[in-house]
Amino acid sequence: RTHHVLFLGKMKFNKNVSSSRRKCRKRHFTAPSSVRRKLMSAPLSKELRQKHSVRSMAVRKDDEVVITRGHYKGQQPAKITAVYRKKWVVHIDRITREKANGATVPIGIHPSKVEITKLKLDKDRRKILERKARPKLAEKEKGAGKHKEKDVQSMDTS
């Protein structure tokens, strides 16, 4: 078997992480629940992103979300009723379907296809938010970006 490697100029920083499609897929689909928690994260709404300086969060049972993709997109925000890590989906309030025998069952939605509009905050979640926001806040204090304003002006004059 021959393997063709296409090098796109990206350097691999961690030698313990494989670039192999086969290995990446295997690790993804056999990941333990603790790893799935992080993989099952959703972006925050623009308001929450501004407020907390965090782009995404791992989803949790009582978060309020709005669906952004698929058949159910664009509805009112609804609560997450269950995070089904084994099936890589979240169950959302009022997103159900009728089975042939008359039973209603929740429809699984992948967390990347929802946007969190309201977080259920407890002390652990607040700590996660603070930890994730720390580098961004430090960058703001330092003055974001590579170039300082005075450097840019000096470049323009010369």
Side-chain angles (χ1 to χ4, degrees), residues 37-38 52-54 56-60 119-135:
R37 184 188 154 273
K38 280 200 90 158
H52 298 294
S53 302
V54 172
S56 64
M57 265 308 260
V59 289
R60 189 211 148 131
L119 289 163
K120 168 120 166 72
L121 289 172
D122 54 22
K123 67 177 194 341
D124 294 327
R125 210 110 189 263
R126 284 181 210 282
K127 275 172 99 170
I128 292 168
L129 276 172
E130 283 169 25
R131 188 180 68 232
K132 286 183 92 167
R134 211 173 288 146

Side-chain angles (χ1 to χ4, degrees), residues 83-136:
V83 178
Y84 204 149
R85 290 187 196 166
K86 189 174 183 175
K87 289 190 176 179
W88 297 97
V89 296
V90 293
H91 291 160
I92 300 168
D93 212 18
R94 300 190 304 274
I95 307 292
T96 56
R97 71 180 295 234
E98 194 100 346
K99 278 175 59 170
N101 66 5
T104 57
V105 289
I107 290 177
I109 308 278
H110 194 274
S112 67
K113 307 304 175 205
V114 302
E115 187 178 78
I116 300 173
T117 55
K118 195 171 165 192
L119 289 163
K120 168 120 166 72
L121 289 172
D122 54 22
K123 67 177 194 341
D124 294 327
R125 210 110 189 263
R126 284 181 210 282
K127 275 172 99 170
I128 292 168
L129 276 172
E130 283 169 25
R131 188 180 68 232
K132 286 183 92 167
R134 211 173 288 146
K136 289 220 176 55

